[in-house]
Amino acid sequence: LTRSTLTGDWGGVRTALENKGVTITLTQTSDFLANPSGGIRQGSAYDGLFQPEIDIDLEKLIGWKGGNVHVAAYGVQGHGLSQYDIGNLLTVTSVEAPDGWYLGELWFQQSLLNDALAIKVGRILADQNFVISETAGVFVNSTFGFPGSFAVDLPGGGPAYPNAVPGAQLIVKPDSAWTIQTAIFEGSPDGSTFSADGVLAIAELAYAFTPDRNDHRLAGTYKIGAWYNSERFDDLAIASNGASLASPLSSGTPRNETGNYAFYVVVDQSLWSEPGAAGQGLSGFARATFTPLSARNQINWYVDAGLAYTGLFPGRDSAIFVFGFPYAP
C-alpha cells in the first residue's frame, strides 16, 4: 500500500530499464460526473483517459549527454458531459475529448551549458509548458489547466490536450530562479506538418522565489507571457460584404481577419507553512488572460483564483484540500 507504483517493479524489469535510462509510465484517470440540473439535458457520464508514456535518458542509454526523448499516447474513453449534456465552454473535466486513440507528445530535447539552455523539437503540447499554475494542477475542471479562454479562442483549441502539434521550444535558465521560454507551433491542430496558413508563437518569463533555510519569507512563482497566432479568424459580428451578420443584407459568411494575440499572468504563492512540516501549509494561485481583439474572440478576458491546503487532515500529509473559482464573461 505504500509502494510508489501500482504494479510494482515487474520482477526487476522496471528497475533494470530505468538504470538504462528508459522509464515507462502507465496512467489511468477515471471521472464519474453528473449534472442534476441545468444544461441541455440532465444526465451522467464517465470520462476516462489511459496514458502510456516512455521517457528515455539518452546519456544513460547510449552516452548522448543532455539528450532526452519523450513519447506519449492518449486512449480517451467516455461520453463527455460538457459536450453532450451541458454545452459549456469550460469543460467540467480535463480528460474530456472525443473518444479514441491519439498520438500525444513525441519530442527530442537537447540540454546544453549545464542545463542552462534546452532545445525541444517534435510534437509538443503548449498546456504542458505554458500558462501553468502548479497550485491549480489538482483540479478536475479543464480550465484550471490550459485556460478555457485560450482553448476557445485558438483554432482547434490550440496545441493543448489531446492535440499535440509540430513545434519547437527554447528554454533558457540563466539561474535557479529565472526561466525564459518561447515556442513556435503549428497554427491550428490539423496535421503532422506545419500549417501553410499560419503559426502560433508564445513566450513566457517566470521567476521562482525559493527561500533558503534562514529566510522566513514564503516561496512563490510569478509568470507573464503572450502569444500571437498568424492564422485567419472569423469576425463574430461582420459579414464578408461588410454588413452585420445579423442583418438581412448579410452575405451569411463571416469576414475573415488575419492574426490574433493575447497576454497572461500567473501567480502561485505560499501563504502559510506549517512549522516543521516541509511541503505542508496553505498556498494560493491567481491567473488572468486578456485577448484584446474582441471581434475575433468568444472570450476576451478570463480570471481564476483559488486556495490549496496540503496536509490539512491529521495522518494525511499528502492530501490536498482545494477551492477554486474561474470566470469567463
Side-chain angles (χ1 to χ4, degrees):
L1 294 177
T2 59
R3 64 189 183 190
S4 59
T5 57
L6 178 66
T7 55
D9 197 32
W10 306 340
V13 173
R14 173 174 259 154
T15 297
L17 287 172
E18 290 178 353
N19 289 337
K20 293 182 179 295
V22 179
T23 301
I24 299 173
T25 307
L26 304 174
T27 305
Q28 172 66 35
T29 302
S30 299
D31 294 328
F32 299 89
L33 311 126
N35 63 316
S37 65
I40 301 170
R41 63 182 67 85
Q42 282 70 63
S44 59
Y46 166 78
D47 281 323
L49 171 64
F50 177 65
Q51 186 175 351
E53 298 176 88
I54 300 176
D55 287 283
I56 303 174
D57 183 331
L58 294 179
E59 185 171 2
K60 289 183 178 180
L61 186 65
I62 58 174
W64 185 324
K65 184 175 177 60
N68 291 276
V69 174
H70 176 78
V71 184
Y74 300 128
V76 182
Q77 317 120 33
H79 170 76
L81 191 71
S82 284
Q83 180 180 359
Y84 295 104
D85 296 324
I86 300 177
N88 61 323
L89 295 178
L90 310 182
T91 52
V92 296
T93 172
S94 60
V95 302
E96 179 173 331
D99 61 353
W101 280 93
Y102 301 81
L103 174 62
E105 290 195 304
L106 194 169
W107 48 256
F108 165 76
Q109 178 172 303
Q110 179 65 56
S111 298
L112 303 164
L113 305 176
N114 293 321
D115 296 331
L117 176 68
I119 301 169
K120 182 188 296 183
V121 294
R123 290 175 58 91
I124 306 173
L125 288 168
D127 64 352
Q128 297 295 309
N129 303 278
F130 296 91
V131 211
I132 297 303
S133 164
E134 296 297 332
T135 308
V138 297
F139 282 99
V140 172
N141 190 289
S142 67
T143 193
F144 289 106
F146 199 55
S149 56
F150 292 171
V152 170
D153 292 339
L154 284 167
Y161 165 85
N163 298 313
V165 300
Q169 181 180 356
L170 176 68
I171 306 166
V172 180
K173 290 184 68 66
D175 57 36
S176 60
W178 291 94
T179 302
I180 305 165
Q181 58 174 338
T182 185
I184 184 168
F185 301 94
E186 180 181 7
S188 179
D190 61 359
S192 59
T193 59
F194 276 101
S195 168
D197 296 325
V199 297
L200 169 67
I202 186 169
E204 181 179 281
L205 173 66
Y207 174 74
F209 172 71
T210 304
D212 59 32
R213 182 176 299 179
N214 298 318
D215 192 334
H216 297 294
R217 291 178 294 174
L218 296 170
T221 302
Y222 320 98
K223 303 175 182 179
I224 58 172
W227 57 255
Y228 175 78
N229 192 307
S230 63
E231 291 273 350
R232 299 190 65 81
F233 293 78
D234 287 341
D235 194 297
L236 301 179
I238 306 300
S240 57
N241 63 352
S244 167
L245 280 170
S247 169
L249 302 178
S250 164
S251 64
T253 303
R255 183 169 65 186
N256 222 225
E257 308 281 4
T258 300
N260 202 353
Y261 61 95
F263 306 97
Y264 65 86
V265 60
V266 181
V267 175
D268 280 293
Q269 180 62 54
S270 177
L271 301 175
W272 184 74
S273 181
E274 289 191 14
Q280 296 184 44
L282 180 66
S283 298
F285 72 92
R287 297 188 303 174
T289 73
F290 178 48
T291 316
L293 300 178
S294 58
R296 307 176 195 185
N297 299 292
Q298 291 188 63
I299 299 176
N300 303 124
W301 62 272
Y302 165 90
V303 294
D304 62 32
L307 298 170
Y309 198 112
T310 303
L312 179 63
F313 306 106
R316 304 283 295 178
D317 293 346
S318 298
I320 305 174
F321 179 81
V322 292
F323 172 82
F325 178 80
Y327 183 68

